[in-house]
Structures are given as C-alpha cells and as structure tokens.
Amino acid sequence: MSASAETSLANVNVMWIEDTGIADIPSVGGKNASLGELSRALKSAGVRVPEGFATTASAYRAFLAANNLEPRIRKHIEDQRAGRSTLRQAGAAIRELFLQATFPEDIAGGIQEHYRALCQRAGQAEAAVAVRSSATAEDLPDASFAGQQETFLNVAGERGVLEACRRCYASLFTDRAISYREMKGYDHLDVALSVGVQRMVRSDLGASGVMFSIDTESGFPGVVVISAAWGLGETVVQGTINPDKYQVFKPLLADQRFSPVIERELGAKERKMVYSQGGDARTRTVETTGREQRSLVLDDREIVLLARWAVAVEDHYGRPMDMEWAKDGITGELFMVQARPETVQARRSTSTFRTYHLDRPGRVLVTGAAIGDSIARGQACVVRDAKDIESFVDGSVLVTRMTDPDWVPVMKRAAGIITDHGGPTSHAAIVSRELGVPAVVGTRNATEVLPDGAQVTLSCAEGEEGHVYEGLLEFSVEEVDMQALPATRTAVMINIASPAAAFKWWRLPAAGVGLARMEFIINNLIRVHPMALVHPERVADPEEAALIRQLTSGYQDPQEYFIDVLATGIAKIAAPFHPKPVIVRLSDFKSNEYSHLIGGSAFERPEENPMLGFRGASRYYSSHYREGFALECRAIKRVREQAGFSNVIVMVPFCRTVREADQVIQAMEGHGLVRGVDGLQLYMMCEIPANVVLAEEFAKRFDGFSIGSNDLTQLVLGVDRDSEELAGLFDERDPAVMSMMGQAISKAHAAGIKIGICGQGPSNHPDLAEFLVSQGIDSVSLNPDTYVKTLPVIAAAEAAADRGRAAGRPSP
C-alpha cells in the first residue's frame, strides 16, 4: 500500500465506524469500511449494524514506529525465508514484539475516549464489546483474508480493550496469516491493521450465523443461503458444528405477499459458544439442549428479513456478498455484523461449466455436505490433530475432524477434503471453494470410518449431499459451452426429480421443467406414507410409529410435515427456472411402491399387477387416498400462493377416462386449485391409448398434454416395462407407438392446446426426437445430462423439416 492512500486520514487514529465508508479501506480495512458503508448507506433499508469505532492504519503505523518494530519484523521474515528459522519460530517472535510494545499516549487516549463514549451510548459503565481485526488488504475481490487475524469477544473495560487491540495487532503475524500473504504475494509490511470495536450483540443468548447472496456450491445467483446456530457465530465460521441451513428465492422477495423460503434444513447444532463467567477465558463452548438441537434457529419471518437485507447489501455493492449476522437473545433484534465480497462463485463463468459423472457408483462409506461439484479420488490421509499436520501426504485426500486457517497450507495440496464437522459455511467449505478442491464436510465420523491409506473416491457431483465411495472409481468430465449451443423453435425443457440437483443445471438455457416428479420428494425427503400422517393411529408397527414421531417432531400436526417438505421441495425445483414453466406431476406411485414408505403397509392392498392397478388419477378421488391427495394439493397451493411460484403447472398422471378427469378436477377445486384462477394451468399425461383416442374430449378439460412415452409404449405394445424377459420388445420407436404419438400431437394442435413429451424416449433415442420435431411437437423435456447432446439433434431436425416444407415434401 502506498503512503498516499492513507493521506486523507493520515492524522486520524480512531474513527466512529458510522463515519467510515467503502472508500476508507486503506485506512480502516475491508471489514470496518464495509460495516461503515452498511451503517451509512443501508440504514434506510432497515439494515441494523451494532455501534462501534475503529483504529486506523495510521495508528498501526505509528505504533510500529514508536516501538521500532519494522526493522525487527523484516529481520525475522528474512530469517524464515532463508531457512534460519521456521515459520512457527518467526511468527512467535514477531507476535512477542507486539505484545511487549506499548501504545503511544495519543492513540491509547483516542481508544479510551471512544470506548467511554460507546459505553455512554449503551447506557452501561463498562459495555461488553467485540474487538475484531481488519487488515487493510483483506476482503478484497481477488482474495479473502477472512479468519487470518484474531477476534476477541466479550471484552470489557478500558484496559481490556487496549490489550485486545494490541493482540489484534500481533495477530497480523500469526503463522497462517504469514503463510497466506506469502502465497498471495503481499509484502508483509505493506499490509496494515485496523481494529474494530463494536458493542456486543447478545447472540450468546440468541443466535448467529453467516449468509451468502449466491448459492456457494452451484453459483446460482437467485438465492440467499443462510446458516444459523445458537450462541456466538464462531462455531459456524470455524465449522465446529453443523448449523441449520435456509435458502430464500431472491426475485420474489420484493413482493411483500410472498415468503419464498425454498429450504429449511435442520442442523444438529450440538454445541454453542457463550460468554464465560470468571477466569481468563471470555467465551466457552457448551453442549446445546435436546430442544435446541431439534428446533430451527430462525422462523420464516426472520429468514425473509435477513434475505431482504442480503439483497439490499448485494444491490448496494453490485456483486454477490458474504455476510455475518447475529440475533440478540434479549431484545430479539437482528443485526448485520459483517459484509464482504464473495470471492469464488463471482469469478466463475456463467457461459461455460464442467459436469462430472461417475461411470458407476460404488459402496458408500460416509456422506456429508458436498462442497464444489467435481469428483476426486486418492488415498485417504487421516490427520486428526493440527500437531500432526506435517504427516499429510501431498496429493492424497485429507480426512480430519475440522479445519481452521492453520490447515490451509496442506488443504491446497490435497486432492480432496473430508471432515467430521462443519457445514457449507464452515472454514473447510469456504477454503475448499476458494482452492477449487472438492470436499465433503460434516460427515460426523469420517475420521473413525475411513482407514488411513484406504483408496477412496469423493463425489460432489450428485447434488447437495456428497458421497465418499470405497475404491478408486472411474468418472468422466464434460466441458459445456453455453454459447455454442444452437437455438431451437421447439421448447427444450428438462426433467428434474431431486430438489438438491435442480441448482446444478441452472446454467442450461432450458425452457423450463417439463417434468418435476413429486415421487422423489415423497420417497427420499418425506419418507412417510401420506395417509400415515393423516391417520398415525392406524400404524401398528411400533418402530414405524416411533420413526414417524421422530421425523415430524418439529411440527404440531404431522400433516404439516408432509405439506411443508413437499412445498419447499417443489419450490426449490421451480426457483432456478422461474419465471419459465415448471410442470409438477401429481404423485404416481404404484401400490407396491407406496407400501414401502414408512407406515405404508397399513394403507396399501397387495395387487397382482400394480403397474395397471391403483395408481395416478384413480387415487385422488378414492376414499382410500383422497385425504392424502388433499395434502398434495395444499402443498401445491402453498408453493404458488405463499411462496409466489405462479410458474408451477399441475399435471395429472395416468388418467384413464374422461369421467375420471372430471372427478380429479372436481377434487382439486375442492382444495382451492381451480383451473384458470390466478393463472393456474392443468396438464394431463398423455400415456394411455384412451388419451389419444379421446384427445379432443380431454383437451376440453386441460391446458396441455405431455406424452409419457414409457407407459404409452407399455400399453400400446402390451409389454410390461418392468419385465426383463420382454425388455427386447419394449421400444418407443415401434411404428405403432410412433403413430400414437403423431396422432396425439395433431389432435392436441387441432384442439388448440400445447403438447410436449417428458418420457425417457427422446433422451435415449435421438431419432425419436427427430420424429417428434417433424410432427411439430411444442416441447421436448430431456434428462439434464442428455440436454447438451440432444439439443443439436433437435436443431438439425427443425432444419430438415424446414427444408422438407420448402421442397413441398410431406412430413414423415
């Protein structure tokens, strides 16, 4: 840093944070300047920042000069670089120089005067404060110095504040800070340090956490991601606990009618950091209660408020941001305590991305939160304690309990990282993203389960959950360039089942979601038969009954558990594609599949041929399931009306007769889902020959059709699609099946409604995609991993159809 950068505040040693702004980074560092900017510019947006003051870079340089520290610091650094001392020895010697030094009287007086004024503002004789380091080169767009310097919490009294400031100065030369600056190429004495002193928010009695205005894994810019834990925020930042996780869809936040929370994930939150009573330690870590572990830290009102603050901060800075927040346990007030640029996803290209695919999965050893979206493999190197860090083998997969900045030198030499503790905002996660090293964090027991030296494959390419597999598995990598993809008249959509996987594909220029399968959410996230939540008293198995009570423990009504999880799951699928259409198919489990859900055996009757049995539309108005169907409708209604996703279209599967269509539509209307009201569209799966034969009648009742090629093929050819013996006969390209598809397309267009296809056919068979395009199909919905290779086929088919029409040839 040049001396001229500090000219404007050259003679100022201490400033109120509210009097600083982002232009003052050279004087008060990124952290304090950002807090000042928030205090000044975003107060009108309701953003609250705790009061405080900051020492300046000029004060730091005056401290160095008064104690003649600069030449002695340079000597220690030169000795370390020349190998005459170790990093640990040099760092300890430099820190001791600071701790033995004294503040010049004018600087000490300025700090004391501002602290007394802060106490008067707080109405306390000795207000507790947080004393935080803010290096003048930290939190810049091209580097994150977060965690390199120290923070001291619950500091009180003038002497305590001065001592904490001195220790902050010394922390500019922790081993990790020295190592990081060496890696980034910063001259150690070009970096100065400002100290921020802020009134403590009583989050020890409340809660705290971090949030990002971008999805930190996929780079999807449309969400705010919030992590939350009880007590002081260091447990979240350090990654010592698994916090709650919430996601909020940003584009709908401006409308006060909506609460667009699209994910609530309950974290274990096993411990919390609180103020210490007596002794030298100012804080201590204690076990959380069972009730705290089972409860969400924030309610929806608080989640949405924080998300709106995040959007205001992002809009002000014009870039994705990384923020910290705290909730006062006495007043219930929320505060923003830090904001800095997000440094990883913001730098990634939105026009190109890589996709990783395991050729075939193996045996899963442990799971945790996936950090990044790639795959790594190698030998597990288990290092449980930082004192053994030198035993790490370069290029291996680091397995440890948790990381802090001391681990960075080995993290950047690792093929992958696995931790027992931490969540998506822990230190291990943040550094892994910055280094581009895939990580699976919060596994709970990786250091116990994975033997040192074992061959493992670490996959972060399967959604939000990361998997560690046994052995060295084969995988493939595909580079996708969005700008090279051709444009098509046919709307090319994608099929999505897993909410966790939806964000992975946000960069694809898809025209929406042609099929969102409700069954995946029910089977994998809810896990309980809907009727078992309506009538839990009918579940006779004591183990199943206990498991249902465990899953629904956070809800007063078990039915609310189903509605809430299904609604947020659908909303998360809809978010990356909003405002494009997202077609959600109502449940289409077969009775044998329903019976495998928890409590399902009490409500399902055995059937000889479930594929042709009690499934799809026939369930929705039946006395055996209509109460369960009511839960599905209530979830859809919540997604559209409370969360605001009016782009969600409802699709009815396996509708056998026109009368059955009328019964389903009537049942939906009874639950407030009325076609045409608030823009609601109803689609029908066209997958039974009767749907094609009577397409004109069905078209009077629905806004669109979607061809289900799997069931249509099964029923046209009389081939059980689950039969291994008949697999050779099952072919969507059979002339009879293709004739049916062609008739469905022409009849739908004659009736004036849209028709698409969402079955596996076009994804598996490019020639089938060509045929459908030649018939004028409105949309084709593909599996995401086949989108890139099938899009050129559709574009070529459109061009061939155009040439055929120009030459006067009939369509095939």
Side-chain angles (χ1 to χ4, degrees):
M1 178 187 303
S2 66
S4 61
E6 298 171 21
T7 302
S8 61
L9 295 174
N11 299 316
V12 178
N13 293 322
V14 188
M15 301 178 65
W16 289 108
I17 285 177
E18 65 206 46
D19 294 331
T20 68
I22 205 66
D24 297 314
I25 287 178
S27 296
V28 295
K31 189 178 299 179
N32 290 330
S34 180
L35 287 171
E37 189 77 10
L38 294 176
S39 300
R40 290 195 314 187
L42 294 173
K43 189 174 183 179
S44 61
V47 178
R48 288 190 292 265
V49 179
E51 293 181 300
F53 61 90
T55 65
T56 65
S58 296
Y60 170 80
R61 297 197 186 284
F63 182 91
L64 293 185
N67 292 279
N68 194 33
L69 296 184
E70 184 169 337
R72 288 185 281 174
I73 291 171
R74 287 202 183 278
K75 177 65 166 58
H76 286 299
I77 293 295
E78 289 168 4
D79 287 346
Q80 185 263 327
R81 286 174 176 168
R84 292 188 290 271
S85 66
T86 65
L87 172 63
R88 183 171 297 180
Q89 290 170 334
I94 295 171
R95 293 192 296 275
E96 187 61 26
L97 293 177
F98 279 93
L99 297 178
Q100 296 300 321
T102 58
F103 279 99
E105 289 186 10
D106 57 337
I107 298 175
I111 294 171
Q112 292 166 323
E113 179 184 338
H114 280 73
Y115 175 69
R116 287 192 292 268
L118 187 61
C119 291
Q120 288 178 343
R121 292 185 182 187
Q124 300 174 16
E126 288 191 341
V129 293
V131 182
R132 304 178 187 274
S133 306
S134 181
T136 59
E138 77 173 341
D139 299 338
L140 298 180
D142 63 337
S144 173
F145 278 68
Q148 299 304 319
Q149 284 77 51
E150 299 291 350
T151 290
F152 300 93
L153 303 176
N154 196 28
V155 178
E158 293 178 21
R159 173 185 273 177
V161 170
L162 281 173
E163 180 60 23
C165 289
R166 188 187 350 261
R167 289 187 176 276
C168 281
Y169 280 178
S171 75
L172 191 57
F173 289 90
T174 59
D175 297 353
R176 61 186 180 243
I178 295 171
S179 175
Y180 192 85
R181 287 193 297 272
E182 291 278 308
M183 181 178 71
K184 290 290 184 179
Y186 285 92
D187 186 291
H188 297 282
L189 287 161
D190 277 353
V191 180
L193 192 118
S194 166
V195 179
V197 179
Q198 283 181 286
R199 181 168 63 86
M200 280 293 294
V201 178
R202 291 306 304 268
S203 56
D204 63 309
L205 303 176
S208 51
V210 303
M211 63 179 171
F212 293 85
S213 64
I214 189 172
D215 181 49
T216 51
E217 301 314 317
S218 68
F220 175 51
V223 289
V224 173
V225 181
I226 303 172
S227 293
W230 303 113
L232 303 172
E234 271 59 27
T235 56
V236 178
V237 175
Q238 294 170 3
T240 57
I241 57 100
N242 299 316
D244 287 353
K245 178 186 174 186
Y246 317 114
Q247 291 189 341
V248 188
F249 186 55
K250 284 156 49 177
L252 293 173
L253 278 170
D255 194 323
Q256 298 294 324
R257 296 174 300 167
F258 302 139
S259 178
V261 179
I262 63 173
E263 183 178 46
R264 298 179 210 85
E265 182 181 305
L266 182 70
K269 308 180 296 291
E270 309 95 329
R271 293 172 296 280
K272 65 179 178 179
M273 184 179 286
V274 298
Y275 292 163
S276 183
Q277 302 294 326
D280 294 334
R282 296 185 175 93
T283 61
R284 60 194 175 99
T285 301
V286 299
E287 300 294 317
T288 49
T289 65
R291 182 176 181 180
E292 287 174 323
Q293 292 174 20
R294 293 189 300 270
S295 301
L296 292 171
V297 171
L298 299 174
D299 60 31
D300 278 10
R301 179 189 60 82
E302 294 167 324
I303 295 168
V304 169
L305 176 61
L306 284 174
R308 289 196 169 111
W309 285 6
V311 171
V313 173
E314 180 182 69
D315 288 347
H316 179 72
Y317 282 94
R319 58 173 299 134
M321 297 295 288
D322 168 0
M323 295 150 280
E324 295 181 22
W325 60 271
K327 179 183 177 181
D328 193 299
I330 298 174
T331 67
E333 292 178 295
L334 290 167
F335 292 90
M336 187 86 75
V337 295
Q338 191 165 321
R340 55 181 173 251
E342 192 275 339
T343 59
V344 179
Q345 290 295 347
R347 296 201 301 263
R348 293 181 66 174
S349 168
T350 58
S351 62
T352 62
F353 71 101
R354 285 182 175 178
T355 60
Y356 290 75
H357 308 278
L358 279 176
D359 292 348
R360 58 179 180 274
R363 186 168 78 92
V364 176
L365 301 176
V366 293
T367 63
I371 307 303
D373 52 14
S374 60
I375 297 173
R377 58 187 185 178
Q379 180 176 296
C381 186
V382 181
V383 185
R384 294 183 175 84
D385 196 283
K387 65 181 176 60
D388 301 318
I389 206 166
E390 293 180 1
S391 67
F392 177 75
V393 178
D394 287 3
S396 61
V397 176
L398 172 64
V399 183
T400 187
R401 293 191 175 99
M402 55 176 280
T403 68
D404 60 32
D406 290 329
W407 290 79
V408 172
V410 299
M411 292 173 75
K412 64 185 180 183
R413 305 199 306 269
I417 297 166
I418 305 168
T419 70
D420 289 346
H421 306 297
T425 53
S426 63
H427 175 270
I430 291 171
V431 173
S432 295
R433 289 188 200 100
E434 184 170 330
L435 296 174
V437 176
V440 177
V441 302
T443 63
R444 296 177 179 267
N445 60 352
T447 56
E448 302 303 322
V449 173
L450 303 179
D452 187 57
Q455 306 282 8
V456 297
T457 299
L458 180 159
S459 173
C460 296
E462 301 164 74
E464 292 180 340
E465 185 174 71
H467 302 90
V468 179
Y469 294 100
E470 183 178 47
L472 302 180
L473 304 183
E474 296 297 321
F475 64 92
S476 56
V477 184
E478 182 180 8
E479 187 87 29
V480 180
D481 182 358
M482 298 297 127
Q483 296 175 337
L485 296 177
T488 62
R489 292 191 305 273
T490 308
V492 184
M493 309 171 84
I494 59 174
N495 301 327
I496 295 286
S498 166
F503 285 9
K504 177 180 179 180
W505 305 104
W506 73 270
R507 289 182 175 86
L508 290 178
V513 176
L515 176 62
R517 297 181 182 90
M518 194 178 282
E519 299 87 57
F520 182 95
I521 300 173
I522 296 172
N523 190 58
N524 293 276
L525 303 182
I526 297 173
R527 299 171 55 202
V528 183
H529 193 291
M531 293 298 292
L533 297 169
V534 177
H535 293 290
E537 74 282 356
R538 289 169 56 183
V539 179
D541 187 310
E543 289 187 10
E544 289 192 320
L547 188 51
I548 290 172
R549 287 193 297 272
Q550 178 185 336
L551 289 170
T552 61
S553 62
Y555 298 84
Q556 290 185 341
D557 183 346
Q559 297 178 57
E560 177 60 24
Y561 164 73
F562 183 96
I563 297 165
D564 182 52
V565 176
L566 181 56
T568 52
I570 293 170
K572 190 167 183 182
I573 290 173
F577 306 96
H578 181 274
K580 298 172 184 175
V582 173
I583 303 172
V584 177
R585 188 177 69 186
L586 297 167
S587 65
D588 190 25
F589 280 126
K590 290 75 177 174
S591 56
N592 60 323
E593 295 168 334
Y594 260 125
S595 65
H596 291 151
L597 295 171
I598 299 169
S601 59
F603 302 93
E604 298 298 329
R605 303 170 182 174
E607 292 185 293
E608 289 296 326
N609 190 349
M611 193 68 76
L612 295 179
F614 189 38
R615 59 175 288 199
S618 60
R619 281 185 171 263
Y620 308 152
Y621 56 88
S622 166
S623 60
H624 294 293
Y625 187 76
R626 61 187 174 204
E627 291 172 295
F629 181 61
L631 303 185
E632 297 183 30
C633 291
R634 288 166 64 186
I636 292 282
K637 189 174 175 66
R638 182 173 296 182
V639 171
R640 288 179 50 85
E641 298 179 9
Q642 293 185 25
F645 290 96
S646 57
N647 59 321
V648 166
I649 295 170
V650 181
M651 184 156 67
V652 178
F654 221 77
C655 187
R656 293 173 168 94
T657 68
V658 173
R659 180 173 177 271
E660 187 165 71
D662 290 334
Q663 289 174 289
V664 171
I665 290 170
Q666 184 179 5
M668 293 179 67
E669 289 175 349
H671 300 300
L673 293 177
V674 181
R675 180 187 175 197
V677 174
D678 296 324
L680 176 64
Q681 294 186 60
L682 297 184
Y683 277 36
M684 185 191 77
M685 290 287 292
C686 186
E687 56 190 345
I688 300 171
N691 300 151
V692 180
V693 173
L694 296 178
E696 296 88 349
E697 289 300 315
F698 284 109
K700 295 174 183 177
R701 292 157 173 82
F702 294 97
D703 299 289
F705 293 159
S706 184
I707 297 171
S709 57
N710 290 339
D711 272 319
L712 187 60
T713 302
Q714 172 178 245
L715 296 173
V716 169
L717 299 180
V719 175
D720 182 346
R721 71 191 222 199
D722 284 346
S723 170
E724 292 183 11
E725 293 292 330
L726 302 178
L729 295 173
F730 189 92
D731 189 350
E732 299 99 320
R733 297 165 296 176
D734 185 277
V737 180
M738 293 178 71
S739 175
M740 275 287 194
M741 292 182 185
Q743 290 180 55
I745 295 169
S746 63
K747 287 185 176 184
H749 287 164
I753 68 170
K754 292 182 177 180
I755 184 168
I757 185 168
C758 62
Q760 293 281 105
S763 296
N764 296 336
H765 309 296
D767 54 338
L768 178 58
E770 293 177 5
F771 167 76
L772 294 167
V773 169
S774 73
Q775 297 298 296
I777 198 163
D778 296 299
S779 64
V780 174
S781 194
L782 306 167
N783 294 335
D785 56 356
T786 66
Y787 182 95
V788 172
K789 69 180 182 183
T790 309
L791 197 64
V793 173
I794 293 173
E798 290 178 344
D802 290 344
R803 289 193 297 271
R805 280 191 290 270
R809 293 193 299 270
S811 298

